[in-house]
Amino acid sequence: MSGPGGRSARPADTVSASNVIVSGGLCLLPGRGLVAADVVCSNGLIEDIQMPRGSRSGAIDAGGCLVLPGIVDIHGDAFERQIMPRPMTMFPVDMAMRETDRQLVANGITTAYHGITVSWEPGLRSLDQSLQVIGALEQLDPTLAADNRIHIRWETFALDQTTEVLKLLTRPKTPLLAFNDHTSPLMKVADVRRAVNRHAERAMVAPGEYLALYEEAIAQHDRVASAIREVAEVAKRHDVPMLSHDDRTADDRAFYRSLGAQVAEFPVTEEALAASVAWGDMVVLGAPNVVRGGSHSGAIGAEQAVRAGKCAVLASDYYYPAPLQAAVALVERGALSLERAWELISAAPARAAGLVDRGEIAKGLRADLVVLCPGEKWPVATLCAGRAVYRSR
């Protein structure tokens, strides 16, 4: 049997001790559904998918369990709660990102794009804080379990930070770029005072100072569109996948789509959602929305969108357990088959991020796997690049 690159797959009895075998499970294979198979991993890749051969010495026993592709999370900012667990209370970034990595793999997330916000705000979402997070991820990378990457959430009114955003687009691990505008809608919310107070706490300034900074940012409105076009052009040159965030109208989506942003992230209205679907764009919604049975902010219901075929990807958003729990819930509620539900958190987000080497269980792809027992909602084991990084038993 030929393996990746034409080399011969070694028979089971000659697999070296450096390899990892996940044996005895029902594997979710693309186009085939659940198939009894053993997965042989070597050098971080899936070397072979074999017929079950019984008990194997040193193998990870997945008997009676499902073997699923690792979860690819293209938008997660729960790490912010590790940095600032209470308002205006900060913890060391390296400590926060180590703990975040532990949470990722314990919830089956093998590839994580951290939503690093580059804003005009000081504090938690400032450029300086974002660069600290990125620096910590780079320093810790050899010791982290998951494949930790960055999702640049550029607040489009942060014009003074444009140069730094352009630098981030050239990172060795290609990032994602999302165009965010949380500035324009701020004064249109139902309770402006409450919103300003919450944002000021995150920015670690008094509400009055926050409002002064807001006024400075909003005054640059006329320059924003040209800056967006400039950043989008550089992103295209570097093949950085682009997303538009919180689109409110079809015109919003059309503008970003014209610049090459083919992913609509958390469209706020039915109008924006319908336009995204009509144009064939990938729609990302929040997995917590599915788990909770609705949006915490009154936005579009993710499960309804999934059932209607209007959602391509589910992301953790603000809660790392949510992708796996959402996929399981969709199956239990009869909304989707396991294969289709798991695609929302594995193969589809990998495609949206331009990652061609993961998201499915197939020879030659990264050996990112989740072992999940039927009736349970937490992984028994998680493998990242063929390495068992989490075991619950």
Side-chain angles (χ1 to χ4, degrees), residues 197-225:
N197 288 343
R198 186 176 69 250
H199 289 199
E201 285 183 343
R202 185 177 66 200
M204 302 186 73
V205 296
E209 184 179 350
Y210 185 87
L211 280 173
L213 293 169
Y214 169 83
E215 292 295 341
E216 290 178 13
I218 204 72
Q220 302 184 87
H221 181 274
D222 291 344
R223 298 171 50 206
V224 170

Side-chain angles (χ1 to χ4, degrees), residues 97-98 101 136-138 140-148 387 389:
M97 300 317 293
R98 283 185 184 277
D101 184 65
L137 288 173
E138 290 177 343
L140 295 171
D141 188 63
T143 67
L144 297 179
D147 184 6
N148 288 264
R387 184 164 63 98
V389 293

Side-chain angles (χ1 to χ4, degrees), residues 299-320:
I300 290 168
E303 183 174 338
Q304 291 87 338
V306 167
R307 287 177 179 269
K310 296 180 179 180
C311 173
V313 174
L314 290 173
S316 76
D317 195 4
Y318 58 89
Y319 194 61
Y320 293 130

Side-chain angles (χ1 to χ4, degrees), residues 77-97:
D77 60 26
F79 70 91
E80 290 184 341
R81 259 64 72 193
Q82 307 297 335
I83 297 173
M84 185 186 283
R86 289 188 175 181
M88 305 183 77
T89 305
M90 304 282 277
F91 277 76
V93 171
D94 58 345
M95 180 188 301
M97 300 317 293

Side-chain angles (χ1 to χ4, degrees), residues 61-362:
D61 183 6
C65 295
L66 308 178
V67 181
L68 308 166
I71 296 171
V72 179
D73 184 22
I74 65 171
H75 178 116
D77 60 26
F79 70 91
E80 290 184 341
R81 259 64 72 193
Q82 307 297 335
I83 297 173
M84 185 186 283
R86 289 188 175 181
M88 305 183 77
T89 305
M90 304 282 277
F91 277 76
V93 171
D94 58 345
M95 180 188 301
M97 300 317 293
R98 283 185 184 277
E99 177 57 25
T100 293
D101 184 65
R102 290 161 58 89
Q103 290 188 19
L104 292 172
V105 296
N107 288 288
I109 298 173
T110 53
T111 300
Y113 282 89
H114 299 293
I116 308 294
T117 303
V118 179
S119 176
W120 50 267
E121 295 180 353
L124 183 63
R125 293 188 171 179
S126 66
L127 172 63
D128 178 66
Q129 184 66 37
S130 294
L131 293 178
Q132 286 187 47
V133 173
I134 293 169
L137 288 173
E138 290 177 343
Q139 183 177 5
L140 295 171
D141 188 63
T143 67
L144 297 179
D147 184 6
N148 288 264
R149 295 169 173 254
I150 67 167
H151 172 140
I152 306 165
R153 306 176 67 197
W154 175 48
E155 287 290 338
T156 55
F157 279 76
L159 300 182
D160 292 342
Q161 285 75 32
T162 302
T163 299
E164 290 297 331
V165 171
L166 296 179
K167 290 179 183 177
L168 292 174
L169 298 178
T170 63
R171 290 177 55 77
K173 283 187 180 181
T174 303
L176 302 179
L177 171 66
F179 297 99
N180 284 28
D181 177 12
H182 291 127
T183 306
S184 300
L186 180 58
M187 294 304 167
K188 301 175 185 176
V189 299
D191 190 339
V192 172
R193 183 174 181 177
R194 181 181 178 187
V196 168
N197 288 343
R198 186 176 69 250
H199 289 199
E201 285 183 343
R202 185 177 66 200
M204 302 186 73
V205 296
E209 184 179 350
Y210 185 87
L211 280 173
L213 293 169
Y214 169 83
E215 292 295 341
E216 290 178 13
I218 204 72
Q220 302 184 87
H221 181 274
D222 291 344
R223 298 171 50 206
V224 170
S226 61
I228 291 172
R229 292 188 180 94
E230 176 190 359
V231 172
E233 193 58 39
V234 175
K236 281 196 291 187
R237 288 204 299 270
H238 291 283
D239 295 321
V240 173
M242 291 181 281
L243 311 85
S244 59
H245 182 84
D246 283 0
D247 293 323
R248 288 169 171 76
T249 68
D251 287 344
D252 290 340
R253 179 85 278 271
F255 170 67
Y256 288 110
R257 190 173 193 273
S258 72
L259 302 178
Q262 297 183 349
V263 180
E265 183 180 57
F266 310 141
V268 174
T269 64
E270 290 290 345
E271 175 191 342
L273 175 63
S276 302
V277 173
W279 291 326
D281 300 327
M282 296 190 79
V283 173
V284 180
L285 295 176
N289 187 318
V290 172
V291 176
R292 296 181 69 254
S295 169
H296 73 283
S297 62
I300 290 168
E303 183 174 338
Q304 291 87 338
V306 167
R307 287 177 179 269
K310 296 180 179 180
C311 173
V313 174
L314 290 173
S316 76
D317 195 4
Y318 58 89
Y319 194 61
Y320 293 130
L324 189 151
Q325 302 302 321
V328 171
L330 289 169
V331 175
E332 291 180 343
R333 297 170 192 170
L336 294 176
S337 66
L338 175 64
E339 188 169 15
R340 180 68 187 97
W342 205 263
E343 182 181 1
L344 295 174
I345 60 173
S346 57
R351 289 196 299 271
L355 298 175
V356 299
D357 64 341
R358 68 197 74 187
E360 297 180 337
I361 299 177

Side-chain angles (χ1 to χ4, degrees), residues 7-90:
R7 67 181 184 275
S8 298
R10 290 169 291 183
D13 58 353
T14 63
V15 173
S16 73
S18 63
N19 290 352
V20 173
I21 302 173
V22 181
S23 68
L26 288 174
C27 299
L28 187 62
L29 304 181
R32 298 176 61 189
L34 291 172
V35 177
D38 294 349
V39 182
V40 179
C41 310
S42 179
N43 298 316
L45 303 178
I46 297 172
E47 183 176 88
D48 201 8
I49 300 168
Q50 303 174 345
M51 293 292 291
R53 301 191 181 182
S55 177
R56 302 193 190 206
S57 176
I60 295 174
D61 183 6
C65 295
L66 308 178
V67 181
L68 308 166
I71 296 171
V72 179
D73 184 22
I74 65 171
H75 178 116
D77 60 26
F79 70 91
E80 290 184 341
R81 259 64 72 193
Q82 307 297 335
I83 297 173
M84 185 186 283
R86 289 188 175 181
M88 305 183 77
T89 305
M90 304 282 277

